[in-house]
């Protein structure tokens, strides 16, 4: 289920991110970089396989033949002894102690195929640290991040983007912490773009970097505007396309400035004004500023009356 970011979470996010960044910086200064990256590689190896498998699963399902022998599986990890609470509610047993379900994951053979394919990429990344494997994991993390993190309203999005705007500018221009951590951290937390691709091909080793935060943070704001478009029920996605074009513009401006000044640039310095300013300008022209900021997303599931729940069980 998606995690909804509130205004309080958004206000605290830059502080938490700063503490984490500074902690990583000190870690790399105190301890051996080799052992830290070995530990992180194993950690992101597992996370990357799961994230990539989840990402490619919908696409791969289209390529499986109709007669593919697909079987269902369930991974269940519980705490305690006795019967489940559901069985007690049905009155099947007199239960004294309920079992707490820690993990209850259902999957099928198709998911296992996707997991095996993702594992190949994972081994490739673990052994070679190749930039293509890094980017595949990075894109998977980004897509999962946008899918699982939701903003509840536009005001919260502005607070989050504004706070991280200051965070990014300070840690890139004010100190060498951000750049040092990004270069030392051998994990798929960034997308890398080979600058010597034409000279060395796939063995390129001179890279420009884009942090995943520069994708996910604007991405969840753009996703919010898409849901706002849908709530208007006009069969148009004006604010989504506007913010999407704004992101491309801001990223292009970042690359241009970086090329001109030959210095690392905080991407959010250009992305935040573009992603907020362009949609706000459109809303101002259309006279929908108040409507945009009053839009509130309710992510809580609706309560089902007992009678309707019983009918649903019968139909099922």
């Amino acid at each position: 289920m998606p995690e909804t970011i509130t205004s309080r979470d958004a206000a605290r996010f830059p502080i938490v991110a700063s503490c984490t960044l500074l902690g990583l910086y000190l870690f790399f200064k105190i301890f051996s970089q080799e052992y830290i990256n070995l530990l992180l590689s194993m950690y992101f190896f597992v996370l990357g396989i799961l994230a990539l498998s989840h990402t490619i699963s919908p696409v791969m399902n289209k390529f499986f033949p109709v007669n593919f022998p697909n079987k269902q599986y369930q991974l269940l990890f519980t705490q305690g002894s006795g019967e489940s609470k559901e069985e007690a509610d049905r009155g099947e047993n007199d239960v004294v102690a309920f079992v707490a379900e820690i993990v209850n994951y259902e999957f099928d053979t198709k998911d296992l195929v996707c997991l095996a394919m993702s594992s190949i990429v994972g081994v490739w990344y673990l052994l070679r640290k190749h930039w293509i494997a890094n980017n595949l994991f990075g894109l998977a993390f980004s897509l999962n991040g946008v899918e699982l993190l939701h903003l509840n309203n536009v005001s919260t999005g502005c607070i989050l983007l504004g706070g991280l705007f200051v965070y990014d500018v300070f840690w890139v221009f004010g100190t060498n912490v951000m750049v040092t951590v990004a270069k030392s951290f051998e994990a798929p937390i960034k997308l890398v773009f080979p600058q010597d691709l034409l000279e060395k091909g796939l063995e390129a080793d001179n890279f420009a970097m884009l942090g995943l935060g520069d994708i996910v943070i604007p991405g969840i704001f753009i996703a919010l505007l898409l849901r706002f478009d849908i709530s208007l029920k006009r069969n148009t996605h004006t604010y989504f396309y506007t913010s999407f074009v704004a992101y491309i513009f801001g990223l292009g401006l970042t690359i241009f400035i970086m090329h001109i000044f030959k210095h690392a640039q905080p991407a959010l310095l250009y992305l935040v004004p573009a992603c907020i300013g362009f949609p706000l300008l459109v809303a101002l022209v259309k006279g929908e500023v108040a409507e945009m900021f009053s839009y509130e997303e309710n992510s809580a599931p609706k309560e089902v009356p007992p009678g309707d729940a019983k009918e649903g069980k019968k139909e099922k």
Side-chain angles (χ1 to χ4, degrees):
M1 294 296 293
E3 181 79 18
T4 301
I5 300 174
T6 64
S7 56
R8 185 178 178 182
D9 297 328
R12 291 187 301 187
F13 200 93
I15 300 173
V16 175
S18 296
C19 293
T20 304
L21 182 67
L22 187 58
L24 285 171
Y25 177 78
L26 294 175
F27 238 79
F28 280 114
K29 289 294 183 181
I30 297 172
F31 300 102
S32 172
Q33 181 176 324
E34 180 183 354
Y35 294 114
I36 295 174
N37 280 320
L38 180 62
L39 181 64
L40 292 173
S41 294
M42 295 302 299
Y43 177 69
F44 281 99
F45 167 74
V46 177
L47 285 186
I49 289 174
L50 295 175
L52 186 59
S53 176
H54 177 72
T55 302
I56 67 174
S57 182
V59 178
M60 290 301 300
N61 284 339
K62 299 178 181 179
F63 294 97
F64 287 106
V66 179
N67 58 349
F68 182 80
N70 195 31
K71 296 181 180 180
Q72 299 294 323
Y73 302 93
Q74 183 179 23
L75 181 64
L76 184 61
F77 184 62
T78 62
Q79 180 183 10
S81 60
E83 303 295 336
S84 67
K85 189 175 186 302
E86 288 74 13
E87 291 177 345
D89 292 338
R90 291 197 297 265
E92 294 181 2
N93 293 293
D94 294 330
V95 181
V96 178
F98 295 142
V99 173
E101 290 185 357
I102 299 174
V103 176
N104 187 358
Y105 187 70
E106 296 180 357
F107 55 97
D108 55 27
T109 310
K110 295 179 180 179
D111 293 325
L112 291 177
V113 173
C114 294
L115 191 66
M117 295 176 63
S118 301
S119 299
I120 295 174
V121 178
V123 172
W124 183 26
Y125 169 77
L126 197 63
L127 297 178
R128 297 288 304 277
K129 293 293 191 299
H130 199 276
W131 60 271
I132 294 179
N134 175 92
N135 287 355
L136 287 174
F137 276 171
L139 288 172
F141 286 139
S142 299
L143 290 171
N144 280 275
V146 174
E147 179 184 352
L148 297 176
L149 292 175
H150 283 190
L151 294 166
N152 60 352
N153 55 49
V154 174
S155 298
T156 301
C158 292
I159 293 171
L160 180 65
L161 288 174
L164 289 177
F165 172 89
V166 176
Y167 157 87
D168 214 20
V169 171
F170 172 76
W171 288 112
V172 172
F173 285 148
T175 69
N176 68 334
V177 173
M178 179 82 78
V179 176
T180 302
V181 171
K183 289 182 177 180
S184 304
F185 208 89
E186 293 182 5
I189 59 165
K190 56 186 179 288
L191 298 185
V192 293
F193 304 94
Q195 297 176 318
D196 52 350
L197 181 64
L198 296 179
E199 300 173 11
K200 298 184 178 180
L202 296 180
E203 299 302 320
D205 54 10
N206 183 26
F207 302 105
M209 298 177 292
L210 178 66
L212 299 190
D214 299 326
I215 301 173
V216 175
I217 300 303
I220 60 178
F221 185 74
I222 295 171
L224 173 67
L225 293 179
L226 174 60
R227 295 192 293 273
F228 172 63
D229 273 324
I230 295 172
S231 72
L232 296 176
K233 298 178 180 178
R234 296 176 183 168
N235 295 323
T236 58
H237 297 154
T238 305
Y239 293 101
F240 168 72
Y241 288 124
T242 301
S243 57
F244 190 77
V245 170
Y247 180 85
I248 295 174
F249 170 78
L251 193 59
L253 184 60
T254 305
I255 296 171
F256 175 75
I257 297 296
M258 185 172 62
H259 179 73
I260 294 297
F261 291 98
K262 307 296 182 183
H263 187 275
Q265 297 294 315
L268 292 180
L269 173 63
Y270 310 98
L271 292 174
V272 169
C275 290
I276 294 179
F278 281 41
L280 192 59
L281 184 62
V282 172
L284 191 64
V285 172
K286 299 180 70 173
E288 295 177 345
V289 175
E291 194 171 357
M292 174 189 285
F293 279 89
S294 63
Y295 170 71
E296 185 83 20
E297 185 173 88
N298 184 15
S299 60
K302 295 181 180 179
E303 293 185 3
V304 181
D308 293 346
K310 290 179 182 178
E311 290 176 6
K313 285 184 179 179
K314 290 178 181 178
E315 290 175 3
K316 189 174 181 179

